[in-house]
């Protein structure tokens, strides 16, 4: 379900419409989320950038979140450096899950400067980092010090370095002459992902499905003919990405309507188990997918909170009932003991 390099490529291709536009407003609706209003000559856009550990992403949005009364420090910093700045370029760094937005603006002294906003979409390591012309970090939405990572720190004043590259062939560099090894009893999709970077498990399964007609295939089933077909499918996918030929779609569970997956390429592997809904843009797909996901998660959270509250009240009431029952049990012979007390009091002079 996470954004892979293919989906990032599709989003970046759509974000080219804001090149030349100006940053109008910057907000930080969540601690790890930035919303930017961008004006071009003939259109206005809302760009959402999230470094959420569970749902990191970047896309245009039509849904406005409630603004915080007091802007966080990182939001104030972005306003200082990027407000009224002109977007010079939007690009995908290499074929990684990193988007770089270069913004031209003037500093407080009136000097022309260029700042780069790096959006790293990498699960729990996702981050939004503002870098100056010298390549040094101005600040980030998540500061990473030695206690968090000994390999790569993201701190103000430090030199920005890209995350370490994987020792794999990227999808864009793949050729049919490349070697692919399928050994042992590992699933074919995992073998593909262990040798090819830039694709998600969903995409890898789709490649396997197109060749075998199923996704549950072990590596020892790959013969010479199947290997050639797999390479051909990967090459077709590479050409589709290079030509920006994307087909955004969302997959929902046919029976429950639950959101299952999204993809930037056609998906057929779910057959009758999933309903495929096509979209005209990747941003539109991501906006609706994560909005529904967010609504569902918030509803689940509220439901969980209510259930927890009800359970707490039930436990308290059960405890009180136990105490009251014990009190009633102790008071069953209350009248007899009262009479005993009255008799003792009346005859205390004889005792």
């Amino acid at each position: 379900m996470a954004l892979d390099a293919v989906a990032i490529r599709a989003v970046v291709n759509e974000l080219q419409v804001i090149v030349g536009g100006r940053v109008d407003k910057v907000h930080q609706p969540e601690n790890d989320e930035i919303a930017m209003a961008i004006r071009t000559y003939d259109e206005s856009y809302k760009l959402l950038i999230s470094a959420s550990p569970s749902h990191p992403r970047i896309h245009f949005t039509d849904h406005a979140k409630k603004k915080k009364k007091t802007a966080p420090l990182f939001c104030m910093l972005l306003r200082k450096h990027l407000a009224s700045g002109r977007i010079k370029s939007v690009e995908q760094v290499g074929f990684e899950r990193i988007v770089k937005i270069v913004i031209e603006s003037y500093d407080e002294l009136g000097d022309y400067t260029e700042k780069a906003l790096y959006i790293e979409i990498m699960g729990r390591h996702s981050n939004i980092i503002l870098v100056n012309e010298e390549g040094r970090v101005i600040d980030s939405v998540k500061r990473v010090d030695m206690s968090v990572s000994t390999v790569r720190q993201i701190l103000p004043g430090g030199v920005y370095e890209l995350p370490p590259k994987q020792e794999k062939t990227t999808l864009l560099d793949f050729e049919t002459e490349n070697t692919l090894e399928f050994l042992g009893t590992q699933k074919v999709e995992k073998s593909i992902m262990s040798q090819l970077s830039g694709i998600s498990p969903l995409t890898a399964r789709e490649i396997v499905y197109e060749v075998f007609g199923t996704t549950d295939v072990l590596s020892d089933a790959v013969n010479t003919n199947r290997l050639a077909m797999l390479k051909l499918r990967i090459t077709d996918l590479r050409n589709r990405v290079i030509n920006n030929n994307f087909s955004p779609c969302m997959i929902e569970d046919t029976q429950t309507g639950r959101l299952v997956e999204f993809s930037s390429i056609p998906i057929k592997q779910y057959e009758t188990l999933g309903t495929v809904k096509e979209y005209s843009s990747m941003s539109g797909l991501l906006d609706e997918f994560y909005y529904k996901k967010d609504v569902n998660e918030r509803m689940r959270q509220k439901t969980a909170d209510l259930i927890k509250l009800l359970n707490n009240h039930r436990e308290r009431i059960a405890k009180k009932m136990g105490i009251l029952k014990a009190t009633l049990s102790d008071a069953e012979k209350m009248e007899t003991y009262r009479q005993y007390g009255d008799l003792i009091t009346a005859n205390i002079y004889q005792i």
Side-chain angles (χ1 to χ4, degrees):
M1 196 179 295
L3 283 168
D4 61 5
V6 178
I8 294 295
R9 171 96 175 200
V11 173
V12 169
N13 183 52
E14 294 176 4
L15 294 183
Q16 298 307 310
V17 296
I18 62 173
V19 175
R22 292 195 175 275
V23 178
D24 191 19
K25 297 178 182 178
V26 180
H27 300 288
Q28 191 171 347
E30 306 288 347
N31 292 334
D32 52 12
E33 195 170 282
I34 298 296
M36 299 173 66
I38 300 169
R39 290 182 293 105
T40 61
Y41 290 109
D42 52 3
E43 193 63 74
S44 295
Y45 300 91
K46 292 179 183 177
L47 182 64
L48 179 69
I49 305 171
S50 176
S52 163
S54 54
H55 301 310
R57 62 199 187 274
I58 175 172
H59 58 81
F60 292 130
T61 181
D62 292 326
H63 301 100
K65 287 190 175 182
K66 188 176 180 180
K67 301 173 185 177
K68 292 184 177 181
K69 292 182 179 179
T70 304
L73 292 177
F74 185 65
C75 179
M76 297 294 288
L77 186 76
L78 292 180
R79 289 176 180 175
K80 173 185 175 182
H81 290 279
L82 305 183
S84 300
R86 188 179 72 87
I87 296 177
K88 184 179 179 181
S89 65
V90 181
E91 62 183 53
Q92 181 181 20
V93 178
F95 193 59
E96 302 291 337
R97 291 175 295 167
I98 303 173
V99 179
K100 178 183 179 183
I101 302 177
V102 178
I103 301 173
E104 303 171 325
S105 61
Y106 292 93
D107 60 18
E108 58 272 14
L109 299 177
D111 296 328
Y112 172 84
T113 60
E114 281 187 5
K115 306 292 193 314
L117 194 64
Y118 285 89
I119 300 97
E120 299 179 353
I121 303 173
M122 299 177 175
R124 62 189 181 90
H125 300 295
S126 299
N127 211 339
I128 304 170
I129 307 162
L130 184 64
V131 178
N132 64 17
E133 285 182 304
E134 289 75 37
R136 292 193 174 275
V137 175
I138 298 175
D139 208 346
S140 59
V141 76
K142 297 177 184 177
R143 293 185 178 181
V144 182
D145 56 20
M146 289 290 291
S147 64
V148 179
S149 173
T150 57
V151 177
R152 179 173 176 258
Q153 290 79 50
I154 303 294
L155 295 170
V159 177
Y160 175 77
E161 296 179 354
L162 293 171
K165 287 187 177 182
Q166 295 177 314
E167 297 298 325
K168 300 179 185 179
T169 302
T170 66
L171 176 63
L172 295 186
D173 295 329
F174 185 83
E175 300 286 349
T176 52
E177 295 79 15
N178 285 44
T179 300
L180 281 179
E181 295 183 354
F182 297 93
L183 305 173
T185 57
Q186 188 179 45
K187 283 192 173 184
V188 175
E189 62 179 89
K190 291 187 177 179
S191 294
I192 292 175
M193 292 188 64
S194 66
Q195 302 172 73
L196 197 65
S197 68
I199 61 173
S200 64
L202 176 67
T203 305
R205 289 198 302 270
E206 188 64 22
I207 293 171
V208 175
Y209 179 81
E210 289 178 352
V211 174
F212 291 91
T214 181
T215 58
D216 193 15
V217 183
L218 299 180
S219 294
D220 53 13
V222 180
N223 53 30
T224 304
N225 184 41
R226 298 289 190 182
L227 178 59
M229 293 175 67
L230 285 170
K231 287 185 176 182
L232 183 61
R233 295 302 181 192
I234 295 172
T235 305
D236 289 342
L237 175 61
R238 181 206 65 187
N239 294 336
R240 174 187 282 271
V241 173
I242 290 175
N243 295 322
N244 292 319
N245 181 19
F246 301 105
S247 302
C249 62
M250 183 192 300
I251 301 95
E252 298 178 350
D253 188 292
T254 303
Q255 294 184 343
T256 63
R258 180 178 62 87
L259 300 178
V260 179
E261 292 276 9
F262 65 81
S263 176
S264 56
I265 62 171
I267 299 296
K268 301 177 182 177
Q269 60 188 267
Y270 287 95
E271 298 179 344
T272 58
L273 298 177
T275 302
V276 179
K277 183 180 178 182
E278 297 180 351
Y279 287 79
S280 59
S281 72
M282 196 67 199
S283 272
L285 162 64
L286 294 175
D287 191 29
E288 183 172 345
F289 183 89
Y290 284 112
Y291 178 75
K292 287 183 177 179
K293 201 80 176 172
D294 185 56
V295 169
N296 292 339
E297 285 189 0
R298 288 178 186 275
M299 185 61 69
R300 278 199 297 270
Q301 185 61 47
K302 288 181 180 179
T303 303
D305 291 343
L306 286 173
I307 291 174
K308 184 178 179 180
L309 180 65
L310 290 173
N311 286 335
N312 288 339
H313 280 297
R314 286 180 63 184
E315 290 176 2
R316 289 174 185 172
I317 291 171
K319 188 175 181 179
K320 287 181 179 179
M321 287 180 66
I323 295 173
L324 290 173
K325 285 180 179 179
T327 303
L328 286 172
S329 178
D330 293 339
E332 282 182 355
K333 298 181 179 181
M334 179 190 69
E335 186 61 28
T336 301
Y337 290 140
R338 187 186 65 78
Q339 291 177 4
Y340 289 166
D342 289 344
L343 288 171
I344 290 172
T345 302
N347 295 280
I348 196 168
Y349 68 94
Q350 298 186 51
I351 297 175

